[in-house]
C-alpha cells in the first residue's frame, strides 16, 4: 500500500519487469557489504588478500575482526604460489581489470567454497557456482550504490534482515549529467567517504536504473573498445594482456585497458587531467602501506594506466586518449 496518495509526482524510474541481470545474487549496497555478509555466513577465521588492492577491500575484515594476510602476484597478475588453506580460511582474489575469469575458474577448482572473487572490475560475471563472488555496480554504471553477491546456495543466506538503502546521494550523478564536472567530482568524493561496510539492501533507485541497462550492448562496447586500444597501444604494453578477447570465456568483459608502458611511472597524471582525461591510480593505498617487499605491486601502482573504455565511448574518444598517451610517453604514432 502506498504511504502517500496524490500531490506532485516523485522522480520516476520505470523499473523493467523481469528477473534482472543478477537475479541469482543477493543485492546489497556495495562490495564491502558483500564481504561483510560472507564473513557473517562463514565462520571465517582468516583471509588471504592480494597486496595489489585498495584499503576499501580490507575494511570489512578490519571492522569484523578477521585477520588477513597479504599475498604477492606474478607477472600474469596471478598468485605466485597457492597457499594451503586450513578450515575457516578464505582466499580473496581480485578479477583484475575484468580479464582474469579463466584464472578464477582455475582457483575455483583448487579452493571451491573457500574462494572469494572480487568482481568489482567484472560486473558482467554472474557467479562461479561453488565459490563466492561480488561486484560493485557504481564502478561500472552511473548509479549511487549496488553490490551483487553470489555464493554457495546452501549458505548464501538472505538479505531480509538488512534495511533498504535510503541514504544514497544521486546529486553528483545529476551534476555530471548537467555538465557541472567540478561540482560533480567534489560531490562524488564526499559521497564515497560516507559509504561503509555494514550491509544494506540495494536502493530502489539503483535497482531500477540497473534494470534498464542494455547489458549486451554495454558488454560489446567494452570488448570493442579494448580491441581498439590494443591495436593502437598493444606494442607498448609490457603487461601480459590478452590480445584477443574472443578467445576467452564470454563473461570476460574488460573494466579498462591496463597499459603498463615503459616510462608510465614518470607520467604526471595531472597532464591527463588538464586535458579532461581522468586516468586514476589503482590503487594509491598500495603505496602507503608499510611493507618492504611487493616491488611488483608498487611498480604496477605507479606505472599502470587504466585507460577508460566503458559503454559511453567509441573510437573518436579513444583516439583522443591514445594521442595523449603517445605524447606523454614520447612515443611515435605508428
Ligand atoms: C578491488 C576493489 N575491491 C573492493 C572495493 C570496494 O568497493 P565498494 O566501494 O563498492 O565497497 C573497491 C573499491 O574501490 C575495489 O577497487
Amino acid at each position: 500500500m502506498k504511504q502517500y496518495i496524490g500531490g506532485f509526482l516523485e522522480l520516476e524510474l520505470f523499473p523493467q519487469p523481469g528477473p534482472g541481470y543478477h537475479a541469482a545474487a543477493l543485492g546489497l549496497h556495495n562490495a564491502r557489504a558483500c564481504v561483510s555478509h560472507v564473513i557473517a555466513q562463514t565462520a571465517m577465521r582468516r583471509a588471504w588478500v592480494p597486496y595489489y588492492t585498495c584499503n576499501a577491500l580490507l575494511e570489512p575484515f578490519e571492522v569484523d575482526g578477521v585477520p588477513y594476510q597479504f599475498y604477492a602476484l606474478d607477472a600474469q597478475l596471478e598468485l605466485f604460489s597457492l597457499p594451503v588453506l586450513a578450515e575457516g580460511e578464505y582466499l580473496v582474489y581480485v578479477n583484475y581489470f575484468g580479464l582474469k575469469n579463466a584464472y578464477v575458474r582455475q582457483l575455483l577448482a583448487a579452493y571451491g567454497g573457500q574462494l572469494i572473487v572480487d568482481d568489482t572490475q567484472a560486473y558482467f560475471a554472474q557467479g562461479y557456482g561453488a565459490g563466492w563472488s561480488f561486484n560493485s555496480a557504481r564502478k561500472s554504471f552511473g548509479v549511487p550504490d549496488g553490490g551483487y553477491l553470489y555464493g554457495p546456495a546452501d549458505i548464501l543466506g538472505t538479505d531480509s534482515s538488512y534495511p533498504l538503502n535510503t541514504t544514497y546521494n544521486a546529486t553528483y550523478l545529476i551534476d555530471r549529467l548537467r555538465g557541472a564536472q567540478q561540482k560533480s567530482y567534489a560531490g562524488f568524493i564526499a559521497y564515497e567517504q560516507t559509504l561503509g561496510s555494514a550491509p544494506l539492501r540495494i536502493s530502489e533507485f539503483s535497482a531500477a536504473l540497473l534494470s534498464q541497462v542494455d547489458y549486451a550492448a554495454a558488454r560489446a562496447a567494452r570488448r570493442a573498445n579494448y580491441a581498439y586500444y590494443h591495436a593502437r597501444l598493444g606494442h607498448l604494453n609490457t603487461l601480459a594482456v590478452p590480445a584477443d578477447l574472443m578467445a576467452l570465456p564470454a563473461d570476460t568483459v574488460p573494466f579498462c585497458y591496463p597499459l603498463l608502458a615503459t616510462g608510465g611511472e614518470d607520467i604526471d597524471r595531472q597532464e591527463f587531467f588538464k586535458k579532461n582525461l581522468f586516468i586514476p591510480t589503482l590503487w594509491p593505498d598500495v603505496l602507503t602501506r608499510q611493507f618492504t617487499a611487493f616491488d611488483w605491486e608498487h611498480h604496477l601502482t605507479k606505472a599502470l594506466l587504466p585507460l577508460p573504455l566503458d559503454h559511453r565511448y567509441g573510437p573518436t574518444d579513444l583516439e583522443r586518449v591514445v594521442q595523449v598517451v603517445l605524447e606523454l610517453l614520447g612515443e611515435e604514432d605508428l
Side-chain angles (χ1 to χ4, degrees), residues 30-32 53-54 56-57 94 118 120 134 136 138-139 283:
N30 64 15
R32 279 164 277 177
T53 194
C54 59
L57 175 60
V94 176
D118 179 331
T120 48
F134 60 84
S136 180
R138 64 188 203 290
K139 312 268 179 215
W283 288 268

Side-chain angles (χ1 to χ4, degrees), residues 103-142:
Y103 180 62
V104 162
R105 289 188 170 84
Q106 285 179 36
L107 289 176
L108 189 65
Y111 293 113
Q114 284 170 291
L115 177 67
I116 304 172
V117 184
D118 179 331
D119 272 337
T120 48
Q121 298 191 336
Y123 185 82
F124 296 83
Q126 290 172 304
Y128 307 96
W132 296 89
S133 64
F134 60 84
N135 60 36
S136 180
R138 64 188 203 290
K139 312 268 179 215
S140 294
F141 296 102

Side-chain angles (χ1 to χ4, degrees), residues 151-169:
D154 53 335
I155 49 168
L156 178 60
T158 77
D159 54 14
S160 54
S161 65
Y162 302 135
L164 185 68
N165 184 13
T166 54
T167 57
Y168 60 88
N169 182 341

Side-chain angles (χ1 to χ4, degrees), residues 97 99 121 222 225-234 236-237 254-261 267 269 272 277-282 303-310 312-313 317-326 328-329:
F97 317 122
L99 295 172
Q121 298 191 336
R222 283 179 178 271
N225 288 343
Y226 177 97
Y228 187 95
Y229 277 131
H230 195 68
R232 298 288 284 118
L233 298 170
L236 300 174
N237 205 348
F255 180 74
C256 61
Y257 182 76
L259 178 66
L260 188 66
I267 291 184
R269 311 245 166 162
F272 286 113
L277 303 178
F278 309 122
I279 316 290
T281 296
L282 298 174
L304 188 133
L305 301 173
L307 305 181
L309 49 60
D310 65 62
R312 291 173 289 180
Y313 309 120
D317 309 299
L318 305 189
E319 187 52 35
R320 204 175 118 212
V321 178
V322 167
Q323 288 302 326
V324 175
V325 167
L326 290 172
L328 294 178
L329 287 173

Side-chain angles (χ1 to χ4, degrees), residues 13 17 25 56 60 76 78 110 120 122 128 136 192 196 216 219 225 227 240 261 276 316:
L13 296 168
Q76 323 292 321
E78 299 175 2
T120 48
Y128 307 96
S136 180
E192 284 285 316
R219 198 167 38 208
N225 288 343
N276 287 342
T316 313

